[in-house]
Amino acid sequence: MALSRTLFALLASAALASCNQIGGAPQQALPWAQFSQQTIDGWLKVDPAFAVYQGAHQYDGKFPDWSAAGLKARGDFLRKVIADAGAYGNLAGRDKFERDYMVQVAKGQLFWLETADQPHANPAWYVGALDPNVYLTREYAPRPQRAAALASFLEAVPAAAANIKANLKGPQPAAFVAYGTSAFSGYAEFYGKDALAAFADVK
């Protein structure tokens, strides 16, 4: 996928490798295209659920790290993106636009992560990543491969759910409670019935 197409597919959906993924030499010493691609790779690694929906199927079956350490690493990654991308002060044209867009999206994600504290305040933070639809309806690979990806996904759900339970703090607004109850219980039922039935013919 072309660099610009990959970049905008990543940033437009904002809805991390560790910070060392893009560490080392001062980032402005790298050509912008190289820095940009390394940043995208790191972003996908920290948000594997999003990566899968963008077609990066090496992350099939994986969830983001929603532990306290994982959330901190995500925040650290975003701050590093903002600082390192902002150090490219002499860009022009498309590169300048990509840099500015990358910085603004990272700032937006950091706001929702830490200032608004969505992982601890809103069950909606998690709902999209719990959706296995990509494995069921997107014919990106043979059915046995997609079934294996779904199996890995389902096996990872309990650990992900434990992090969600540990993170969400009360009291929650009644509307949030209703939404979370509906979404989480709906997934629990869907996983054990429709999701498995979709691959009933795969041995």
Side-chain angles (χ1 to χ4, degrees), residues 2 21 79 90 106 108 116 162 169 173 175 187:
Q21 178 72 22
R79 275 185 287 273
N90 298 318
K169 308 300 183 184
Y187 278 134

Side-chain angles (χ1 to χ4, degrees), residues 86-134:
Y88 285 83
N90 298 318
L91 301 178
R94 175 178 290 184
D95 289 347
K96 181 178 183 296
F97 179 81
E98 288 183 351
R99 179 204 63 199
D100 293 347
Y101 198 41
M102 177 184 287
V103 168
Q104 290 306 313
V105 170
K107 287 181 176 179
Q109 291 195 1
L110 190 60
F111 170 82
W112 290 111
L113 176 69
E114 295 186 347
T115 305
D117 198 22
Q118 292 292 279
H120 300 110
N122 191 344
W125 174 268
Y126 303 100
V127 169
L130 293 169
D131 186 354
N133 182 63
V134 65

